[in-house]
Amino acid sequence: MLKDLGVRHLRIHSDSQLIVGQVQGEYEAWELNMIKYLQNVKDFAFNFTTISIQQILRAENVQADLFSKLAMVGAADLKRNSYLTTLEKPNIEEPTVMKTDPKLSWIDPILHYLQDGVLRVDRDEAKKLRHLAPQYLIYDGRLYKKSFTLPLL
């Protein structure tokens, strides 16, 4: 996001002595996750003309604390000129590729019936599908099973 905004000079404030020390090379990263994060920071630094990191007191880190609280409260009251990205997983994880079988899954006939009203040719299968389909609903493009006392399953 900073790169897209055209930022060339970056100044980072952190209240973590460990993080600042590792980025500045004063401390060595030992834990595998910390090594990966440190490598991401080094790769990230190449996008800028200058980058500096400075340790500040925790009491002076009010802005970062406010952003961290947004994760719990939500972004409804976020100012218009603020940028917020939600990470679904740590950015040090390697992407996983899963091979899938192109055959139809058990979900596909239910989805087709609920979306398009398409039934199978086989009379018995169509009857089962008509009986089964009311137990499900499509919400936000995904198939969920209804429940009387629980949220969507």
Side-chain angles (χ1 to χ4, degrees):
M1 189 169 26
L2 295 170
K3 186 177 164 185
D4 291 342
L5 290 171
V7 173
R8 299 303 316 145
H9 306 282
L10 183 62
R11 182 175 38 207
I12 301 170
H13 295 162
S14 174
D15 59 14
S16 171
Q17 182 179 1
L18 176 66
I19 300 299
V20 172
Q22 288 177 348
V23 172
Q24 291 178 338
E26 297 170 4
Y27 300 153
E28 189 173 339
W30 289 92
E31 187 180 319
L32 182 61
N33 281 347
M34 293 305 288
I35 292 169
K36 288 180 179 180
Y37 277 119
L38 184 58
Q39 186 59 50
N40 279 5
V41 169
K42 289 178 180 178
D43 294 342
F44 175 75
F46 285 112
N47 294 312
F48 304 96
T49 305
T50 61
I51 185 168
S52 66
I53 185 166
Q54 177 184 357
Q55 183 187 356
I56 59 172
L57 297 174
R58 187 167 294 218
E60 295 173 7
N61 206 12
V62 175
Q63 187 178 15
D65 288 340
L66 289 174
F67 276 115
S68 69
K69 289 176 184 166
L70 278 175
M72 292 182 280
V73 177
D77 298 324
L78 191 62
K79 291 181 181 177
R80 194 165 192 203
N81 62 350
S82 299
Y83 296 95
L84 180 65
T85 302
T86 303
L87 297 177
E88 301 295 327
K89 61 181 183 172
N91 61 357
I92 58 170
E93 290 183 7
E94 295 294 323
T96 57
V97 177
M98 185 174 85
K99 293 183 179 180
T100 59
D101 191 359
K103 296 179 188 172
L104 290 178
S105 76
W106 66 273
I107 295 173
D108 293 327
I110 300 171
L111 275 173
H112 291 304
Y113 178 66
L114 291 175
Q115 288 174 336
D116 309 319
V118 175
L119 285 172
R120 293 184 173 199
V121 176
D122 182 21
R123 186 174 183 201
D124 292 333
E125 288 294 319
K127 185 177 179 182
K128 287 179 188 177
L129 188 57
R130 272 196 298 269
H131 178 72
L132 186 65
Q135 299 173 29
Y136 294 89
L137 76 103
I138 299 172
Y139 178 76
D140 223 10
R142 297 181 69 187
L143 184 68
Y144 290 92
K145 185 170 184 177
K146 296 178 187 176
S147 172
F148 290 110
T149 57
L150 299 172
L152 297 175
L153 306 173

Short mmCIF file of all heavy atoms in Angstrom, two decimals, residues 75-122:
data_model
loop_
_atom_site.label_atom_id
_atom_site.label_comp_id
_atom_site.label_asym_id
_atom_site.label_seq_id
_atom_site.Cartn_x
_atom_site.Cartn_y
_atom_site.Cartn_z
N ALA A 75 -13.82 -1.49 11.78
CA ALA A 75 -13.36 -0.31 11.06
C ALA A 75 -14.49 0.67 10.75
O ALA A 75 -14.34 1.53 9.91
CB ALA A 75 -12.68 -0.74 9.78
N ALA A 76 -15.62 0.57 11.44
CA ALA A 76 -16.76 1.43 11.11
C ALA A 76 -16.46 2.91 11.32
O ALA A 76 -16.89 3.75 10.54
CB ALA A 76 -17.96 1.01 11.95
N ASP A 77 -15.73 3.24 12.38
CA ASP A 77 -15.45 4.64 12.68
C ASP A 77 -14.09 5.09 12.16
O ASP A 77 -13.59 6.14 12.56
CB ASP A 77 -15.51 4.87 14.20
CG ASP A 77 -16.90 4.58 14.74
OD1 ASP A 77 -17.88 4.87 14.02
OD2 ASP A 77 -17.01 4.06 15.86
N LEU A 78 -13.50 4.33 11.28
CA LEU A 78 -12.18 4.67 10.75
C LEU A 78 -12.26 5.89 9.86
O LEU A 78 -13.17 6.01 9.05
CB LEU A 78 -11.65 3.48 9.94
CG LEU A 78 -10.20 3.51 9.52
CD1 LEU A 78 -9.29 3.54 10.75
CD2 LEU A 78 -9.87 2.28 8.70
N LYS A 79 -11.33 6.81 10.03
CA LYS A 79 -11.33 8.02 9.22
C LYS A 79 -11.13 7.66 7.75
O LYS A 79 -10.52 6.66 7.42
CB LYS A 79 -10.21 8.96 9.68
CG LYS A 79 -10.45 9.55 11.04
CD LYS A 79 -9.34 10.49 11.41
CE LYS A 79 -9.57 11.06 12.78
NZ LYS A 79 -8.50 11.92 13.22
N ARG A 80 -11.62 8.52 6.90
CA ARG A 80 -11.61 8.25 5.47
C ARG A 80 -10.20 8.16 4.89
O ARG A 80 -9.95 7.45 3.94
CB ARG A 80 -12.39 9.35 4.76
CG ARG A 80 -12.71 8.99 3.36
CD ARG A 80 -13.75 9.88 2.82
NE ARG A 80 -14.18 9.27 1.59
CZ ARG A 80 -14.74 9.91 0.62
NH1 ARG A 80 -14.99 11.16 0.73
NH2 ARG A 80 -15.09 9.29 -0.47
N ASN A 81 -9.24 8.89 5.46
CA ASN A 81 -7.89 8.88 4.91
C ASN A 81 -7.01 7.81 5.56
O ASN A 81 -5.81 7.80 5.36
CB ASN A 81 -7.24 10.27 5.07
CG ASN A 81 -7.11 10.68 6.52
OD1 ASN A 81 -7.66 10.04 7.40
ND2 ASN A 81 -6.40 11.76 6.75
N SER A 82 -7.59 6.91 6.33
CA SER A 82 -6.84 5.84 6.94
C SER A 82 -6.92 4.59 6.06
O SER A 82 -7.94 4.34 5.44
CB SER A 82 -7.40 5.52 8.33
OG SER A 82 -7.29 6.63 9.16
N TYR A 83 -5.86 3.83 6.05
CA TYR A 83 -5.81 2.60 5.26
C TYR A 83 -5.72 1.42 6.22
O TYR A 83 -4.94 1.43 7.15
CB TYR A 83 -4.59 2.60 4.34
CG TYR A 83 -4.66 3.70 3.31
CD1 TYR A 83 -4.04 4.93 3.53
CD2 TYR A 83 -5.36 3.52 2.13
CE1 TYR A 83 -4.12 5.94 2.59
CE2 TYR A 83 -5.45 4.52 1.20
CZ TYR A 83 -4.82 5.72 1.42
OH TYR A 83 -4.91 6.72 0.50
N LEU A 84 -6.52 0.42 5.96
CA LEU A 84 -6.57 -0.74 6.83
C LEU A 84 -6.67 -1.99 5.98
O LEU A 84 -7.50 -2.08 5.09
CB LEU A 84 -7.78 -0.65 7.78
CG LEU A 84 -7.98 -1.78 8.75
CD1 LEU A 84 -6.84 -1.82 9.76
CD2 LEU A 84 -9.30 -1.62 9.47
N THR A 85 -5.80 -2.95 6.26
CA THR A 85 -5.84 -4.23 5.57
C THR A 85 -5.93 -5.33 6.62
O THR A 85 -5.18 -5.32 7.59
CB THR A 85 -4.57 -4.44 4.73
OG1 THR A 85 -4.47 -3.38 3.80
CG2 THR A 85 -4.61 -5.77 4.00
N THR A 86 -6.85 -6.25 6.44
CA THR A 86 -6.99 -7.37 7.37
C THR A 86 -6.26 -8.57 6.79
O THR A 86 -6.54 -8.99 5.67
CB THR A 86 -8.47 -7.71 7.58
OG1 THR A 86 -9.15 -6.54 8.04
CG2 THR A 86 -8.63 -8.83 8.58
N LEU A 87 -5.33 -9.11 7.56
CA LEU A 87 -4.61 -10.31 7.13
C LEU A 87 -5.35 -11.53 7.61
O LEU A 87 -5.69 -11.65 8.78
CB LEU A 87 -3.19 -10.31 7.70
CG LEU A 87 -2.28 -9.19 7.27
CD1 LEU A 87 -0.94 -9.30 7.99
CD2 LEU A 87 -2.06 -9.22 5.77
N GLU A 88 -5.63 -12.44 6.69
CA GLU A 88 -6.32 -13.67 7.04
C GLU A 88 -5.37 -14.70 7.65
O GLU A 88 -5.79 -15.59 8.36
CB GLU A 88 -6.99 -14.27 5.80
CG GLU A 88 -8.00 -13.35 5.15
CD GLU A 88 -9.20 -13.06 6.03
OE1 GLU A 88 -9.60 -13.94 6.81
OE2 GLU A 88 -9.73 -11.94 5.94
N LYS A 89 -4.09 -14.59 7.34
CA LYS A 89 -3.08 -15.49 7.88
C LYS A 89 -1.77 -14.73 7.95
O LYS A 89 -1.63 -13.68 7.32
CB LYS A 89 -2.94 -16.74 7.01
CG LYS A 89 -2.51 -16.45 5.59
CD LYS A 89 -2.41 -17.72 4.79
CE LYS A 89 -1.89 -17.38 3.39
NZ LYS A 89 -1.60 -18.54 2.61
N PRO A 90 -0.81 -15.20 8.73
CA PRO A 90 0.47 -14.50 8.81
C PRO A 90 1.11 -14.36 7.43
O PRO A 90 1.00 -15.26 6.60
CB PRO A 90 1.32 -15.41 9.70
CG PRO A 90 0.34 -16.20 10.49
CD PRO A 90 -0.86 -16.36 9.60
N ASN A 91 1.75 -13.23 7.19
CA ASN A 91 2.32 -13.00 5.86
C ASN A 91 3.65 -13.70 5.66
O ASN A 91 4.31 -13.48 4.65
CB ASN A 91 2.44 -11.49 5.59
CG ASN A 91 3.36 -10.80 6.56
OD1 ASN A 91 3.88 -11.41 7.49
ND2 ASN A 91 3.54 -9.52 6.36
N ILE A 92 4.05 -14.56 6.57
CA ILE A 92 5.28 -15.32 6.39
C ILE A 92 5.01 -16.75 5.94
O ILE A 92 5.93 -17.49 5.65
CB ILE A 92 6.13 -15.35 7.69
CG1 ILE A 92 5.32 -15.96 8.83
CG2 ILE A 92 6.64 -13.98 8.02
CD1 ILE A 92 6.11 -16.25 10.07
N GLU A 93 3.73 -17.13 5.90
CA GLU A 93 3.40 -18.48 5.49
C GLU A 93 3.54 -18.62 3.98
O GLU A 93 3.20 -17.72 3.23
CB GLU A 93 1.98 -18.85 5.90
CG GLU A 93 1.81 -19.02 7.38
CD GLU A 93 0.40 -19.45 7.75
OE1 GLU A 93 -0.40 -19.73 6.84
OE2 GLU A 93 0.12 -19.49 8.95
N GLU A 94 4.02 -19.76 3.57
CA GLU A 94 4.13 -20.06 2.15
C GLU A 94 2.74 -20.42 1.64
O GLU A 94 1.96 -21.08 2.33
CB GLU A 94 5.06 -21.25 1.92
CG GLU A 94 6.50 -20.97 2.32
CD GLU A 94 7.14 -19.91 1.44
OE1 GLU A 94 6.87 -19.88 0.23
OE2 GLU A 94 7.90 -19.10 1.99
N PRO A 95 2.38 -19.96 0.46
CA PRO A 95 1.07 -20.33 -0.07
C PRO A 95 0.99 -21.83 -0.32
O PRO A 95 1.98 -22.45 -0.73
CB PRO A 95 0.97 -19.54 -1.38
CG PRO A 95 2.37 -19.21 -1.75
CD PRO A 95 3.15 -19.16 -0.46
N THR A 96 -0.15 -22.39 -0.05
CA THR A 96 -0.33 -23.81 -0.30
C THR A 96 -1.19 -23.99 -1.54
O THR A 96 -2.11 -23.23 -1.79
CB THR A 96 -1.02 -24.50 0.89
OG1 THR A 96 -2.26 -23.84 1.13
CG2 THR A 96 -0.16 -24.43 2.13
N VAL A 97 -0.84 -24.99 -2.31
CA VAL A 97 -1.58 -25.30 -3.52
C VAL A 97 -2.22 -26.65 -3.30
O VAL A 97 -1.56 -27.62 -2.94
CB VAL A 97 -0.66 -25.32 -4.75
CG1 VAL A 97 -1.43 -25.72 -5.99
CG2 VAL A 97 0.02 -23.99 -4.92
N MET A 98 -3.52 -26.71 -3.51
CA MET A 98 -4.22 -27.95 -3.30
C MET A 98 -4.77 -28.44 -4.63
O MET A 98 -5.45 -27.69 -5.33
CB MET A 98 -5.38 -27.73 -2.32
CG MET A 98 -6.10 -29.00 -1.96
SD MET A 98 -7.35 -28.73 -0.69
CE MET A 98 -8.72 -28.19 -1.69
N LYS A 99 -4.45 -29.66 -4.99
CA LYS A 99 -4.98 -30.24 -6.21
C LYS A 99 -6.41 -30.67 -5.94
O LYS A 99 -6.72 -31.23 -4.90
CB LYS A 99 -4.15 -31.43 -6.65
CG LYS A 99 -2.77 -31.08 -7.10
CD LYS A 99 -2.03 -32.30 -7.59
CE LYS A 99 -0.64 -31.93 -8.06
NZ LYS A 99 0.10 -33.09 -8.53
N THR A 100 -7.28 -30.40 -6.86
CA THR A 100 -8.67 -30.79 -6.69
C THR A 100 -9.09 -31.70 -7.83
O THR A 100 -8.56 -31.63 -8.93
CB THR A 100 -9.60 -29.56 -6.69
OG1 THR A 100 -9.42 -28.85 -7.92
CG2 THR A 100 -9.29 -28.65 -5.52
N ASP A 101 -10.04 -32.52 -7.53
CA ASP A 101 -10.60 -33.42 -8.52
C ASP A 101 -11.74 -32.69 -9.21
O ASP A 101 -12.65 -32.18 -8.56
CB ASP A 101 -11.11 -34.68 -7.83
CG ASP A 101 -11.46 -35.77 -8.81
OD1 ASP A 101 -11.34 -35.54 -10.03
OD2 ASP A 101 -11.89 -36.85 -8.36
N PRO A 102 -11.72 -32.61 -10.53
CA PRO A 102 -12.76 -31.85 -11.22
C PRO A 102 -14.14 -32.50 -11.19
O PRO A 102 -15.10 -31.94 -11.68
CB PRO A 102 -12.24 -31.76 -12.65
CG PRO A 102 -11.32 -32.91 -12.81
CD PRO A 102 -10.74 -33.16 -11.45
N LYS A 103 -14.26 -33.69 -10.62
CA LYS A 103 -15.56 -34.36 -10.54
C LYS A 103 -16.50 -33.54 -9.65
O LYS A 103 -16.07 -32.77 -8.80
CB LYS A 103 -15.40 -35.75 -9.94
CG LYS A 103 -14.59 -36.70 -10.78
CD LYS A 103 -14.48 -38.04 -10.08
CE LYS A 103 -13.50 -38.94 -10.79
NZ LYS A 103 -13.25 -40.16 -10.04
N LEU A 104 -17.77 -33.74 -9.83
CA LEU A 104 -18.76 -33.06 -9.01
C LEU A 104 -18.68 -33.54 -7.57
O LEU A 104 -18.47 -34.71 -7.30
CB LEU A 104 -20.17 -33.34 -9.54
CG LEU A 104 -20.55 -32.70 -10.87
CD1 LEU A 104 -21.95 -33.13 -11.26
CD2 LEU A 104 -20.47 -31.19 -10.79
N SER A 105 -18.86 -32.62 -6.64
CA SER A 105 -18.92 -33.01 -5.23
C SER A 105 -20.40 -33.14 -4.84
O SER A 105 -21.29 -32.79 -5.61
CB SER A 105 -18.22 -31.98 -4.36
OG SER A 105 -19.02 -30.83 -4.20
N TRP A 106 -20.66 -33.58 -3.64
CA TRP A 106 -22.03 -33.75 -3.18
C TRP A 106 -22.74 -32.40 -3.06
O TRP A 106 -23.97 -32.35 -3.05
CB TRP A 106 -22.06 -34.48 -1.84
CG TRP A 106 -21.43 -33.70 -0.72
CD1 TRP A 106 -20.11 -33.68 -0.37
CD2 TRP A 106 -22.09 -32.80 0.17
NE1 TRP A 106 -19.92 -32.84 0.69
CE2 TRP A 106 -21.12 -32.28 1.04
CE3 TRP A 106 -23.40 -32.38 0.31
CZ2 TRP A 106 -21.41 -31.37 2.04
CZ3 TRP A 106 -23.70 -31.47 1.32
CH2 TRP A 106 -22.71 -30.97 2.17
N ILE A 107 -21.97 -31.32 -2.98
CA ILE A 107 -22.54 -29.98 -2.83
C ILE A 107 -23.12 -29.47 -4.15
O ILE A 107 -24.14 -28.77 -4.16
CB ILE A 107 -21.46 -29.00 -2.33
CG1 ILE A 107 -21.02 -29.39 -0.93
CG2 ILE A 107 -21.93 -27.57 -2.36
CD1 ILE A 107 -19.85 -28.60 -0.42
N ASP A 108 -22.50 -29.82 -5.25
CA ASP A 108 -22.88 -29.27 -6.56
C ASP A 108 -24.35 -29.46 -6.92
O ASP A 108 -25.00 -28.51 -7.34
CB ASP A 108 -21.97 -29.81 -7.65
CG ASP A 108 -20.54 -29.31 -7.48
OD1 ASP A 108 -20.36 -28.17 -7.01
OD2 ASP A 108 -19.61 -30.06 -7.82
N PRO A 109 -24.92 -30.67 -6.78
CA PRO A 109 -26.34 -30.80 -7.13
C PRO A 109 -27.26 -29.93 -6.28
O PRO A 109 -28.24 -29.37 -6.77
CB PRO A 109 -26.64 -32.29 -6.90
CG PRO A 109 -25.31 -32.96 -6.95
CD PRO A 109 -24.32 -31.96 -6.47
N ILE A 110 -26.92 -29.78 -4.99
CA ILE A 110 -27.74 -28.94 -4.11
C ILE A 110 -27.63 -27.48 -4.55
O ILE A 110 -28.65 -26.77 -4.64
CB ILE A 110 -27.30 -29.10 -2.63
CG1 ILE A 110 -27.47 -30.55 -2.18
CG2 ILE A 110 -28.09 -28.16 -1.73
CD1 ILE A 110 -26.86 -30.86 -0.83
N LEU A 111 -26.42 -27.04 -4.85
CA LEU A 111 -26.22 -25.66 -5.33
C LEU A 111 -26.99 -25.41 -6.61
O LEU A 111 -27.69 -24.39 -6.73
CB LEU A 111 -24.74 -25.40 -5.57
CG LEU A 111 -23.90 -24.97 -4.38
CD1 LEU A 111 -22.43 -24.92 -4.75
CD2 LEU A 111 -24.36 -23.63 -3.85
N HIS A 112 -26.88 -26.32 -7.57
CA HIS A 112 -27.58 -26.15 -8.84
C HIS A 112 -29.09 -26.11 -8.65
O HIS A 112 -29.79 -25.32 -9.28
CB HIS A 112 -27.20 -27.27 -9.82
CG HIS A 112 -25.79 -27.20 -10.31
ND1 HIS A 112 -25.27 -26.10 -10.93
CD2 HIS A 112 -24.78 -28.10 -10.24
CE1 HIS A 112 -24.00 -26.32 -11.23
NE2 HIS A 112 -23.68 -27.53 -10.82
N TYR A 113 -29.59 -26.95 -7.76
CA TYR A 113 -31.03 -26.97 -7.52
C TYR A 113 -31.50 -25.67 -6.86
O TYR A 113 -32.50 -25.09 -7.26
CB TYR A 113 -31.41 -28.18 -6.66
CG TYR A 113 -32.88 -28.24 -6.35
CD1 TYR A 113 -33.81 -28.45 -7.36
CD2 TYR A 113 -33.34 -28.06 -5.06
CE1 TYR A 113 -35.17 -28.49 -7.09
CE2 TYR A 113 -34.70 -28.10 -4.77
CZ TYR A 113 -35.61 -28.31 -5.80
OH TYR A 113 -36.95 -28.35 -5.53
N LEU A 114 -30.75 -25.21 -5.84
CA LEU A 114 -31.15 -23.99 -5.14
C LEU A 114 -30.99 -22.75 -6.02
O LEU A 114 -31.79 -21.82 -5.94
CB LEU A 114 -30.35 -23.83 -3.85
CG LEU A 114 -30.65 -24.83 -2.74
CD1 LEU A 114 -29.71 -24.63 -1.57
CD2 LEU A 114 -32.09 -24.71 -2.29
N GLN A 115 -29.95 -22.71 -6.84
CA GLN A 115 -29.71 -21.53 -7.68
C GLN A 115 -30.59 -21.53 -8.93
O GLN A 115 -31.17 -20.51 -9.27
CB GLN A 115 -28.24 -21.48 -8.11
CG GLN A 115 -27.30 -21.11 -6.99
CD GLN A 115 -25.84 -21.20 -7.40
OE1 GLN A 115 -25.49 -21.92 -8.32
NE2 GLN A 115 -25.00 -20.46 -6.69
N ASP A 116 -30.65 -22.68 -9.61
CA ASP A 116 -31.28 -22.71 -10.93
C ASP A 116 -32.52 -23.60 -11.00
O ASP A 116 -33.16 -23.66 -12.05
CB ASP A 116 -30.27 -23.21 -11.98
CG ASP A 116 -28.96 -22.44 -11.92
OD1 ASP A 116 -29.03 -21.21 -11.75
OD2 ASP A 116 -27.89 -23.06 -12.05
N GLY A 117 -32.81 -24.35 -9.94
CA GLY A 117 -33.94 -25.26 -9.98
C GLY A 117 -33.67 -26.50 -10.82
O GLY A 117 -34.60 -27.18 -11.25
N VAL A 118 -32.40 -26.82 -11.06
CA VAL A 118 -32.02 -27.95 -11.90
C VAL A 118 -32.01 -29.22 -11.06
O VAL A 118 -31.36 -29.30 -10.03
CB VAL A 118 -30.62 -27.73 -12.53
CG1 VAL A 118 -30.17 -28.95 -13.30
CG2 VAL A 118 -30.62 -26.50 -13.40
N LEU A 119 -32.76 -30.21 -11.52
CA LEU A 119 -32.81 -31.52 -10.85
C LEU A 119 -32.09 -32.56 -11.69
O LEU A 119 -31.96 -32.42 -12.90
CB LEU A 119 -34.26 -31.96 -10.65
CG LEU A 119 -35.02 -31.26 -9.54
CD1 LEU A 119 -36.50 -31.67 -9.58
CD2 LEU A 119 -34.43 -31.62 -8.18
N ARG A 120 -31.66 -33.61 -11.02
CA ARG A 120 -31.01 -34.71 -11.74
C ARG A 120 -32.03 -35.46 -12.58
O ARG A 120 -33.23 -35.44 -12.31
CB ARG A 120 -30.36 -35.66 -10.75
CG ARG A 120 -29.22 -35.04 -10.01
CD ARG A 120 -28.58 -36.07 -9.13
NE ARG A 120 -27.37 -35.50 -8.55
CZ ARG A 120 -26.42 -36.23 -8.04
NH1 ARG A 120 -26.49 -37.54 -8.04
NH2 ARG A 120 -25.35 -35.66 -7.52
N VAL A 121 -31.52 -36.13 -13.58
CA VAL A 121 -32.38 -36.90 -14.48
C VAL A 121 -32.98 -38.10 -13.76
O VAL A 121 -34.15 -38.43 -13.93
CB VAL A 121 -31.59 -37.35 -15.73
CG1 VAL A 121 -32.45 -38.22 -16.62
CG2 VAL A 121 -31.06 -36.14 -16.47
N ASP A 122 -32.17 -38.75 -12.91
CA ASP A 122 -32.62 -39.93 -12.19
C ASP A 122 -33.75 -39.52 -11.22
O ASP A 122 -33.59 -38.62 -10.40
CB ASP A 122 -31.45 -40.54 -11.42
CG ASP A 122 -31.83 -41.80 -10.68
OD1 ASP A 122 -32.85 -42.43 -11.04
OD2 ASP A 122 -31.11 -42.16 -9.73
#
